[in-house]
Amino acid sequence: MTYFNTHARPLRMALLSVSMLAVTACTTVGPDYGGAPEMAPVSVERGTFLRAPDEASRQAPASDWWTQFDDPVLTQLVEDALSNAPSIDAAFARVTQARAGLQTARTAALPSVGSSVSTPYINVPADLVDSDSNRDRYSAESLSVGFDASWELDLFGGNRRRLEAGAARLGASEASLADAQVSLSAEVARIYIGLRARQEMASVLQQQLGMDRQLLVLARQRHEQGTATLHPVEQYRSAEAQTLADIARNEVEIAVAMDQLAVLSGFEPGALNDRLADQGAAPLPPAEIAIGSPADLLRKRPDIRQAERNLAAANADIGVNVADRFPKVSFLGLLGLGGGSIGEALDPANLIGLALPRISWSVFDGGRTEARIEASRGAFAEAEANYRGTVLAALGDAENALTRFGGARVALARTLDTRESAQRVATLDTMRAQAGTIAHSQAIASDREVAGTELASITAKAELAEAYIAVNKAMGFGWSYIE
């Protein structure tokens, strides 16, 4: 409340009017337009995924699915990334902003109370105060203290719609954080699997290079002795050059993967080289996986939750804009003391009190209100379409990931069969070479074929692990919201 007292009644009333206009604030209210449901309806009739493995459990795995690789280094990398990555910090910051916005919406329905102390000095032409005055100027000085309060009634539910929209946007920001966690954990695991596969391939490539050089030496000897043409020499020289190129590319990919893992974990490039230097084999996923049902996917995948909360916020925004069609009702209260001196300002006889209800209604605004309502309805239609698109894309991602996972398992089995056959052939050729029935170079060539199948099996194992990671990402696993 704002309070004052002056010597001239006309001036006092003028200041009172100005004060009332300054402190009266009407918050637009709107009808109870209703909010979107907790989860917008999307029809998913089947209870299981079409391409789920036969042994897949309907029970969803834990959020920390990466621990099922049983690799402590991978587990630590993911935990570091979820704790230190700038993308996660940014998502947390967005949640903080959304919480502040929700708190602002909550306070809009509460009365506002303020206090003031003022010592105005007025010097105006005397004609403005008293037309019969013989003075050229009129001056007055006063002191006032007091309180003021204002409150807007939420008769039509506009403030509730604002609160609803703020809560929905907070939910959307939390879902965005969860989605960032899902993407980050999957990306860290994918790059780590690739790194371990490249490191495992490095030793095989060195073995292959040694065999290429042995074959090249033997071919040169036969050519120099006149027992063979130059063609095998050039063939093995080309194979050696190709292996050297493969080694160079593999070393580059290893270095890049180490730097990527460091950056994703919130460290500078190269900071994790010692931790990642151990050239262990790429870990394999568990023999059985748990994927749940399509309904579980709709409830748990963060991007679906985010799209649904955006839909709820857009729906609430319609009610906020519809509020402008209705009257605004507010109350203003004033209570204070005032006078020309400190003594008068503290005299209870100079108490001023005022209660002022106010109704305002914009009867004509040139169509601005209807335009805003129409725009908000368009935003709702867009959010609804985005939600349906997100659900369909999520179901498609899940089916595609399961398809690739099933294909990767079959491919790995066939690759392992090929490797075993090549090993048996190499063993037989070694025995024949020792018996002198075939050339030693033929036995080495068989060993080289084994190295090629070993590289293929390493690649197939990595692809299976990456397919398992993709399944968990498609299901929306890998997040846990932390206050």
Side-chain angles (χ1 to χ4, degrees):
M1 303 176 188
T2 303
Y3 314 101
F4 48 87
N5 194 350
T6 64
H7 295 294
R9 179 179 178 82
L11 182 60
R12 181 165 60 240
M13 295 305 297
L15 293 176
L16 177 61
S17 300
V18 173
S19 177
M20 290 167 56
L21 291 175
V23 301
T24 302
C26 294
T27 302
T28 302
V29 295
D32 190 356
Y33 200 83
E38 186 67 15
M39 177 60 72
V42 173
S43 175
V44 181
E45 296 179 357
R46 65 180 186 271
T48 59
F49 291 97
L50 296 177
R51 299 172 182 84
D54 294 336
E55 75 280 5
S57 170
R58 289 177 56 86
Q59 181 181 0
S63 61
D64 54 347
W65 52 265
W66 51 86
T67 60
Q68 297 182 22
F69 281 107
D70 196 22
D71 190 315
V73 177
L74 173 59
T75 299
Q76 187 61 49
L77 283 172
V78 175
E79 291 176 354
D80 288 344
L82 294 177
S83 300
N84 304 325
S87 60
I88 301 300
D89 292 340
F92 265 116
R94 289 192 293 270
V95 172
T96 301
Q97 296 174 48
R99 282 178 176 167
L102 177 59
Q103 184 61 30
T104 300
R106 287 172 176 166
T107 59
L110 301 177
S112 60
V113 180
S115 62
S116 63
V117 177
S118 62
T119 59
Y121 173 76
I122 301 100
N123 191 329
V124 298
D127 290 345
L128 295 179
V129 180
D130 187 357
S131 60
D132 297 330
S133 175
N134 295 325
R135 300 166 55 185
D136 294 334
R137 308 290 294 178
Y138 177 85
S139 62
E141 185 175 1
S142 66
L143 174 68
S144 64
V145 294
F147 299 91
D148 59 79
S150 62
W151 184 30
E152 296 80 35
L153 296 180
D154 191 23
L155 295 179
F156 303 104
N159 285 340
R160 290 194 297 274
R161 297 289 72 75
R162 286 188 178 87
L163 184 61
E164 193 176 275
R169 289 189 171 91
L170 173 59
S173 65
E174 292 175 344
S176 176
L177 169 61
D179 193 44
Q181 292 174 328
V182 169
S183 298
L184 181 61
S185 59
E187 185 67 6
V188 169
R190 185 190 66 81
I191 295 176
Y192 179 80
I193 294 297
L195 170 64
R196 288 305 188 216
R198 291 284 181 180
Q199 290 174 331
E200 191 175 359
M201 292 169 65
S203 60
V204 179
L205 286 171
Q206 290 295 334
Q207 296 172 12
Q208 183 173 286
L209 178 62
M211 289 181 282
D212 288 339
R213 288 173 173 172
Q214 290 181 36
L215 290 170
L216 179 59
V217 169
L218 293 175
R220 283 174 175 169
Q221 290 176 352
R222 291 195 300 271
H223 175 66
E224 292 172 355
Q225 294 170 359
T227 58
T229 65
L230 187 61
H231 180 270
V233 176
E234 297 300 328
Q235 183 179 11
Y236 291 133
R237 182 182 288 118
S238 175
E240 179 192 27
Q242 182 61 50
T243 302
L244 287 171
D246 292 340
I247 291 174
R249 283 193 293 267
N250 195 61
E251 290 175 348
V252 170
E253 293 299 326
I254 289 174
V256 169
M258 286 184 174
D259 289 344
Q260 287 178 326
L261 288 172
V263 172
L264 289 175
S265 300
F267 302 103
E268 295 180 355
L272 302 181
N273 285 1
D274 291 340
R275 187 194 303 182
L276 300 173
D278 182 18
Q279 298 184 6
L284 287 174
E288 296 183 358
I289 63 172
I291 60 172
S293 66
D296 294 332
L297 172 68
L298 297 184
R299 285 192 295 266
K300 294 181 179 180
R301 185 158 154 151
D303 59 341
I304 295 179
R305 179 68 178 178
Q306 182 180 4
E308 185 274 330
R309 290 289 83 199
N310 287 332
L311 176 61
N315 188 68
D317 287 339
I318 298 177
V320 173
N321 287 313
V322 169
D324 289 340
R325 290 175 174 174
F326 294 84
K328 309 170 187 178
V329 181
S330 64
F331 290 92
L332 170 68
L334 302 173
L335 182 65
L337 299 170
S341 63
I342 295 178
E344 292 180 357
L346 299 179
D347 186 354
N350 291 328
L351 179 66
I352 299 174
L354 174 65
L356 177 64
R358 185 184 182 207
I359 299 178
S360 62
W361 193 359
S362 178
V363 179
F364 177 75
D365 63 358
R368 288 188 296 272
T369 298
E370 294 303 320
R372 287 194 296 269
I373 294 173
E374 189 65 23
S376 61
R377 286 174 175 163
F380 175 82
E382 180 185 3
E384 185 181 27
N386 289 338
Y387 172 74
R388 289 187 284 108
T390 301
V391 171
L392 292 176
L395 292 172
D397 287 346
E399 292 289 0
N400 292 338
L402 290 170
T403 300
R404 293 189 177 94
F405 179 72
R409 295 203 307 177
V410 173
L412 175 59
R414 299 293 181 267
T415 303
L416 294 177
D417 289 342
T418 302
R419 186 185 66 178
E420 292 177 359
S421 296
Q423 288 175 340
R424 288 193 294 268
V425 170
T427 300
L428 293 174
D429 284 348
T430 299
M431 296 171 61
R432 293 170 63 190
Q434 291 174 350
T437 58
I438 61 172
H440 183 55
S441 60
Q442 187 173 345
I444 297 176
S446 296
D447 289 336
R448 192 184 187 284
E449 289 293 327
V450 174
T453 59
E454 182 65 25
L455 292 174
S457 66
I458 293 172
T459 300
K461 289 178 182 178
E463 289 176 348
L464 177 62
E466 291 175 359
Y468 173 73
I469 295 169
V471 168
N472 284 277
K473 182 180 180 182
M475 297 299 166
F477 303 135
W479 66 272
S480 58
Y481 182 64
I482 303 175
E483 294 289 345

